[in-house]
Amino acid sequence: MRVEVAFAIGIAPPVAGLRSFRDTERHDIEARLGWPPGPGFSPRSRPDRVGVRALDIALLGIPRLLDIIANAGAAGGTLFGEPADVGKPREPENEVDDFPVMWAAPDDTARTLPWQLDPARRPKAYRTELVLTDQRLVVLGGGEDDESVPAEELWAASRDAVADIERMPYSEGGSDVRVRFTDGSWTRWRVKEPLKLVGRFRNDRLPVAEGDLTQEQRERLTALVVSPPLRVSRSIGTMLPVTEPPSLERFSDGTVMAELQVPLSSGTVWTVTRYLCPDGTDDVTKDSVR
């Protein structure tokens, strides 16, 4: 599995748009990492939260956020509101009062992570990706403006060095995960498809070939490919035949997730996802596991 990854960022008012780096005594270790300078970390007092909005943080980044804080006293300022549907923090000490994305003693695995994972330090056009294999966890880096240049391996750890990967629901879009290493250190990342990453790591959901499906699942899949369950407005385009093989993953209970790439006459491609029980019927209870 290969997905974009970066250090996570806080959403609670005191730490919105911020991240910290801690040792196991909660001391700030950012200056000891030998990294390029970053924005630092200082939880905001209540007056400083005025005018800070989730959208500014998510779309415009740290520079815009700092500008908003600097002008928080201007007319029309509104109290920062947390993004909807994130629930309540599970760990207030790590999600509200502080927001560590690295928790590690000296020489722990988490301290070896590359500085390029921090969007506040790397070039604007640079991106990092996470690769999960059956042997390793790898971080790649490269310039997104030139995909012809091979990505560079920035960091790697044996899969045996990773104790667990868990989703952290209290995050923008539910996109955060925490990677726990066997030495007790951990890191908090923002990734695309966090639930899929967790499932792949725990072997709860794995890629599967069409020939390994039950007869009923294959029949249902054929019907989906021939007639995708998708309604499209004429202003957007008309559906064209599905030509790409469906992406298939099987869960530990035998349910198969099928993703179809449906092309439209407008040139866009829409994804249709269905969950097929072993008997070929649709499992609507898994709509939140993508």
Side-chain angles (χ1 to χ4, degrees):
M1 183 175 179
R2 181 170 174 168
V3 291
E4 288 189 40
V5 64
F7 284 132
I9 199 167
I11 62 170
V15 297
L18 304 176
R19 59 176 66 91
S20 65
F21 304 85
R22 304 297 191 202
D23 66 12
T24 54
E25 301 298 322
R26 205 173 286 278
H27 298 134
D28 185 357
I29 60 173
E30 187 169 355
R32 306 177 202 168
L33 297 173
W35 290 357
F41 176 85
S42 180
R44 286 184 293 278
S45 61
R46 186 175 181 83
D48 288 334
R49 303 172 202 168
V50 178
V52 180
R53 299 187 300 273
L55 187 61
D56 292 302
I57 297 166
L59 299 183
L60 301 177
I62 294 295
R64 173 60 173 157
L65 171 63
L66 296 178
D67 181 65
I68 292 170
I69 294 171
N71 294 281
T78 57
L79 184 64
F80 173 85
E82 297 172 5
D85 302 324
V86 298
K88 295 187 178 297
R90 296 190 308 180
E91 301 176 6
E93 70 278 13
N94 292 323
E95 297 180 313
V96 178
D97 304 321
D98 192 6
F99 196 80
V101 296
M102 175 185 292
W103 184 270
D107 302 322
D108 278 354
T109 302
R111 282 217 198 187
T112 67
L113 291 166
W115 61 266
Q116 291 92 336
L117 281 169
D118 190 346
R121 287 179 161 84
R122 67 194 187 196
K124 186 176 181 179
Y126 198 91
R127 73 174 182 181
T128 43
E129 294 179 297
L130 176 68
V131 178
L132 174 67
T133 77
D134 59 352
Q135 303 269 337
R136 301 193 302 162
L137 199 64
V138 182
V139 173
L140 303 176
E144 60 183 351
D145 292 339
D146 188 358
E147 296 183 355
S148 64
V149 178
E152 173 189 7
E153 183 175 310
L154 302 175
W155 175 90
S158 166
R159 189 156 172 162
D160 292 340
V162 182
D164 192 21
I165 300 178
E166 60 180 324
R167 179 169 171 254
M168 306 299 287
Y170 189 73
S171 55
E172 183 71 33
S175 59
D176 286 9
V177 298
R178 176 159 54 193
V179 180
R180 293 186 179 275
F181 299 103
T182 54
D183 57 17
S185 64
W186 52 264
T187 181
R188 183 165 177 150
W189 290 339
R190 177 161 294 181
V191 300
K192 287 189 175 181
E193 301 183 281
L195 288 168
K196 181 181 285 190
L197 175 65
V198 171
R200 287 281 184 91
F201 178 79
R202 296 179 178 178
N203 292 321
D204 290 335
R205 52 189 292 181
L206 297 171
V208 64
E210 184 174 344
D212 295 326
L213 273 55
T214 65
Q215 179 65 32
E216 293 80 5
Q217 287 172 330
R218 289 198 297 271
E219 292 174 356
R220 175 63 174 145
L221 183 62
T222 298
L224 290 172
V225 171
V226 171
S227 181
L230 178 65
R231 291 185 178 180
V232 182
S233 170
R234 289 185 178 181
S235 62
I236 298 176
T238 57
M239 284 193 296
L240 301 177
V242 175
T243 57
E244 293 291 327
S247 174
L248 304 172
E249 289 189 339
R250 184 160 56 197
F251 293 82
S252 55
D253 63 0
T255 302
V256 169
M257 184 187 76
E259 285 187 345
L260 281 68
Q261 303 302 314
V262 182
L264 304 183
S265 59
S266 60
T268 59
V269 177
W270 285 23
T271 300
V272 173
T273 304
R274 285 294 183 272
Y275 300 91
L276 313 181
C277 296
D279 63 2
T281 58
D282 288 0
D283 185 346
V284 297
T285 67
K286 283 189 166 64
D287 285 340
S288 63
V289 302
R290 272 181 282 181

